Amino acid sequence: MISTKINDFVVRFANVNGTGSASANALFTKAVFRMGVPVTPKNIFPSNIQGLPTWYEVRVSEKGYLGRREGVDLMVAVNPQSMKKDYADVAAGGFFVYDSSKPLPPGYERTDITHLGIPMTELCNAQYSDARQRQLFKNIVYIGALATLFDIEFSVLEGLIGDQFKGKEKLIEPNITALNLGVEYVKQNFEYPLPLRVERRDLLGDKILFGGNSACALGAIFAGATVAAWYPITPSTSVVDAFAKYAAKYRVDPDTGKNNYAIVQAEDELAAIGMVMGACWNGARAFTATSGPGVSLMNEFLGLGYFAEVPSVLIDVQRTGPSTGMPTRTQQSDILLAAYASHGDTKHPLLFPATPKECFEMTADAFDLTERLQTPVIVMTDLDLGMNDHVTDPLTWDDSRQYDRGKVLSADQLDNIYSNGSAFNGKWGRYLDVDNDGIPYRTIGGTHPTRGAFVTRGSSRDEYGVYTEDGAAYQRNVDRLLRKWETAKELVPPPVFYSAPRLGDADAEKAETRPVGSVRDGVIFFGTSTDSSLEALELLEAGGITLDAMRPRAFPFGKAFREFVDAHERIFVIEQNRDAQFRSLIMIELGTDASKLISVLNYDGMPITADNIFRQIRDRV
């Protein structure tokens, strides 16, 4: 007898890329969401041409666990290429839904799962005459079947179809017809609903379902960005696509109809970051978006931005490397590349969002930080966060917020400097540190007709921007940049801390900052490892293993980060790359003994699971 699971299961759709399955599968996710139940979708698609296997995995969790989970409770397998593996991936006691228009070949005789054959092709061939419609509506047929099997309210699907095709009403009826084909077949041929069921709840409040790339784009809009230059690369392209959509709505002069923004597709990533730095140097707020290969090409300009102190924002949507790697798989593998991009002694502030809400907020914050610090700032997301929908808190903005343009001198201030002397002793210098925070004052071209001019160069210069190869002047300059780095530690977002007891609170947004060092061992995780890490901590706690936890949200590491590391005998560092890059960053920056930092790694291109984290830590405690 299969036990009933209410709002607690995993469904995986196995499709063929380019067959229109993505929108149908998303319909399932949105239906669960509208029934008030937490849900997490993962779109797993190929980087090559149409016709290759693609998967869409959905976790339904009444407890609010939003990380990926191991095991598949119900598989919808409509791709012959991957069906053998899809069949094997169904957990014992699970369900295998397939197109029974043709019988299953030999080898599909498992007795520990339930087979549910639905003649999807036959049903569509009988209903529709157009070949493309037959293919597209086959996906809708299995959504209708699942709605009945899972006891999802049909009115919810009707509402979603109506929303999806608003303005294209003629498409609503055939889609509803396709849903009903699946519904009626299940009602006439199977016992329903299944032991796996969706029951309406009110667990989401005002939360939304949103993607990280779109959230980054909105963050740039609200931060006042008017320039985007980029070269298309998966998985970051949709950041600029979304920015273009939002800019067309919010960056158009209402009186003249003229665009108040510029979006430039450059010839390559190096040109893109150069355009961004040129725009920022000239006073605009500008950004680019890319992934690991693009960051590699941008290294030269990132070094210029650091040394010449030119603001710019870069959104790095990480993917699996090295080289081309797996462009449509996720990793946290650009950490060291981004932190120390360029040659010589170079360091860049990094921001690590964990949710679409944080993508929005941290992108907006990046524009203030880059101008306050006069250095490139990199927002480190990844494919999982950027290209998948996530349950997140609403994106909110304080309309009274003022942009932090940093130490930008006005024409009056320049006059005062030269007339009164002040801290500049009568002569302004672009690279003078009069406040001892490592940050000089800058000017924007055209501010004053005769004062505030300087030469921007990537070669060594003195405090007044004059070229020199004098070693003492060079050393004074790079030491000042190090003072700026210390200042940055106080300006970037602080870590979030979690301490026991934690059972029953899997929501990272509810975590409070608490004193560190309450137990012997600690754990560090960041970005998209967060949800699975919090779930794993609950699993460990239930097994008698209690850990303090810290979620860094930025680099450089400040005082609170160091205190957490110093307060624990051992620290497990959870990250999604092979070479333990974040662990290395801690060792480099804090000088922490390597034996103290224990790596918990995942680098197969799929989001890390709580089960994986639990096993790795349990076996080492």
Side-chain angles (χ1 to χ4, degrees):
M1 182 71 176
I2 300 172
S3 59
T4 299
K5 292 183 178 181
I6 306 297
N7 300 335
D8 182 23
F9 54 86
V10 172
V11 179
R12 185 183 297 167
F13 300 88
N15 302 102
V16 179
N17 194 35
T19 58
S21 59
S23 59
N25 297 340
L27 195 65
F28 177 82
T29 295
K30 293 174 183 177
V32 176
F33 181 82
R34 287 201 177 182
M35 289 187 68
V37 180
V39 60
T40 301
K42 305 294 182 189
N43 193 17
I44 308 158
F45 57 99
S47 59
N48 289 311
I49 59 173
Q50 175 176 307
L52 294 178
T54 183
W55 295 269
Y56 186 84
E57 189 173 285
V58 182
R59 182 181 186 182
V60 179
S61 173
E62 181 158 310
K63 291 184 178 180
Y65 295 132
L66 299 177
R68 184 168 167 261
R69 196 206 79 184
E70 294 179 6
V72 178
D73 298 299
L74 185 142
M75 177 75 72
V76 179
V78 293
N79 185 0
Q81 298 176 64
S82 63
M83 188 173 287
K84 188 173 182 180
K85 182 181 184 304
D86 298 331
Y87 188 72
D89 285 345
V90 182
F95 298 84
F96 183 71
V97 177
Y98 65 98
D99 187 350
S100 60
S101 300
K102 293 182 180 180
L104 287 172
Y108 292 80
E109 295 92 13
R110 287 178 60 180
T111 58
D112 62 338
I113 64 174
T114 301
H115 300 72
L116 299 173
I118 300 173
M120 305 170 198
T121 301
E122 285 185 7
L123 292 172
C124 287
N125 287 348
Q127 183 67 36
Y128 307 102
S129 58
D130 180 78
R132 181 60 176 165
Q133 283 188 335
R134 288 173 172 176
Q135 176 60 62
L136 292 173
F137 286 125
K138 184 167 75 172
N139 304 314
I140 304 299
V141 167
Y142 66 65
I143 295 299
L146 291 186
T148 309
L149 292 169
F150 286 127
D151 206 20
I152 294 174
E153 296 167 13
F154 191 78
S155 60
V156 171
L157 289 170
E158 286 182 310
L160 286 166
I161 291 291
D163 292 344
Q164 182 175 345
F165 295 107
K166 188 175 183 179
K168 301 178 181 178
E169 278 70 20
K170 67 178 182 179
L171 296 176
I172 294 176
E173 184 179 346
N175 275 276
I176 298 298
T177 298
L179 285 173
N180 277 309
L181 289 176
V183 169
E184 292 305 316
Y185 189 86
V186 167
K187 287 182 175 180
Q188 294 172 18
N189 293 275
F190 303 124
E191 293 185 11
Y192 65 93
L194 297 178
L196 308 178
R197 297 179 193 175
V198 178
E199 286 187 2
R200 179 172 286 279
R201 297 286 189 267
D202 186 15
L203 302 173
L204 296 171
D206 62 352
K207 291 185 182 293
I208 60 174
L209 200 61
F210 207 57
N213 282 357
S214 293
C216 284
L218 270 176
I221 287 286
F222 275 77
T226 57
V227 177
W230 100 118
Y231 184 81
I233 181 173
T234 302
S236 70
T237 300
S238 57
V239 173
V240 181
D241 288 343
F243 180 77
K245 180 182 72 173
Y246 296 132
K249 184 174 182 179
Y250 299 114
R251 286 281 184 274
V252 178
D253 188 293
D255 297 324
T256 66
K258 291 183 178 180
N259 294 337
N260 291 327
Y261 64 94
I263 300 175
V264 183
Q265 180 175 330
E267 60 266 33
D268 55 33
E269 288 89 349
L270 186 60
I273 191 71
M275 293 176 186
V276 166
M277 288 189 177
C280 288
W281 179 91
N282 204 40
R285 285 196 153 186
F287 77 100
T288 188
T290 191
S291 193
V295 179
S296 296
L297 290 172
M298 292 177 181
N299 264 234
E300 185 174 354
F301 263 122
L302 287 169
L304 173 66
Y306 173 81
F307 197 55
E309 297 175 79
V310 181
S312 54
V313 171
L314 166 60
I315 299 168
D316 178 11
V317 189
Q318 299 168 89
R319 70 187 204 187
T320 303
S323 188
T324 305
M326 293 193 293
T328 57
R329 297 292 185 271
T330 196
Q331 270 190 359
Q332 298 171 319
S333 55
D334 295 348
I335 306 300
L336 293 176
L337 167 67
Y340 303 118
S342 191
H343 53 280
D345 295 323
T346 311
K347 297 182 181 183
H348 305 291
L350 311 179
L351 303 180
F352 300 106
T355 65
K357 179 178 173 61
E358 285 193 338
C359 284
F360 172 75
E361 294 171 344
M362 289 188 181
T363 300
D365 290 344
F367 285 91
D368 283 349
L369 279 170
T370 195
E371 294 202 286
R372 184 73 180 85
L373 293 167
Q374 299 176 30
T375 196
V377 173
I378 307 176
V379 181
M380 305 293 291
T381 75
D382 56 34
L383 183 145
D384 180 24
L385 180 53
M387 295 194 71
N388 287 315
D389 286 333
H390 299 263
V391 173
T392 190
D393 287 330
L395 313 185
T396 58
W397 184 261
D398 181 358
D399 287 334
S400 66
R401 174 172 171 171
Q402 299 292 314
Y403 299 149
D404 185 352
R405 303 307 303 265
K407 296 182 176 182
V408 179
L409 294 172
S410 67
D412 288 342
Q413 287 173 318
L414 282 167
D415 283 334
N416 289 335
I417 285 171
Y418 283 89
S419 62
N420 301 326
S422 68
F424 290 95
N425 295 318
K427 185 181 180 182
W428 172 71
R430 170 65 181 95
Y431 299 106
L432 278 173
D433 180 15
V434 297
D435 300 321
N436 203 36
D437 60 1
I439 306 172
Y441 285 80
R442 68 186 176 113
T443 60
I444 294 172
T447 298
H448 195 289
T450 60
R451 291 171 176 166
F454 65 95
V455 175
T456 301
R457 64 174 86 243
S459 52
S460 182
R461 71 271 162 175
D462 66 13
E463 287 80 356
Y464 296 92
V466 178
Y467 169 74
T468 180
E469 294 188 20
D470 176 69
Y474 168 82
Q475 188 166 335
R476 288 196 307 271
N477 190 42
V478 294
D479 284 347
R480 179 183 58 77
L481 291 173
L482 202 55
R483 287 199 302 275
K484 182 200 289 191
W485 189 248
E486 291 301 312
T487 300
K489 293 178 181 179
E490 305 304 317
L491 296 177
V492 297
V496 175
F497 298 95
Y498 311 80
S499 296
R502 189 170 27 249
L503 291 171
D505 182 12
D507 190 342
E509 299 296 328
K510 296 177 182 176
E512 299 175 356
T513 301
R514 303 185 179 98
V516 301
S518 61
V519 295
R520 170 174 172 261
D521 293 336
V523 62
I524 292 174
F525 50 83
F526 60 96
T528 50
S529 301
T530 298
D531 287 324
S532 293
S533 296
L534 290 171
E535 184 179 353
L537 288 174
E538 289 199 18
L539 294 173
L540 290 162
E541 205 164 284
I545 301 171
T546 302
L547 300 167
D548 287 333
M550 175 175 67
R551 176 168 72 91
R553 296 189 293 164
F555 172 74
F557 306 136
K559 180 181 177 182
F561 187 104
R562 179 182 286 276
E563 287 177 347
F564 181 90
V565 173
D566 291 344
H568 295 89
E569 293 181 30
R570 295 188 306 174
I571 296 176
F572 296 94
V573 184
I574 301 169
E575 51 187 315
Q576 301 185 65
N577 58 71
R578 184 196 68 183
D579 293 340
Q581 295 184 26
F582 201 88
R583 175 178 179 267
S584 296
L585 200 61
I586 298 172
M587 292 165 58
I588 293 168
E589 294 296 318
L590 303 187
T592 306
D593 191 310
S595 63
K596 181 174 182 171
L597 303 174
I598 304 168
S599 292
V600 176
L601 305 175
N602 178 75
Y603 46 91
D604 62 359
M606 297 295 291
I608 195 169
T609 65
D611 318 75
N612 185 350
I613 295 168
F614 168 78
R615 288 191 299 268
Q616 291 194 56
I617 293 179
R618 178 200 60 192
D619 294 345
R620 298 179 191 181
V621 171

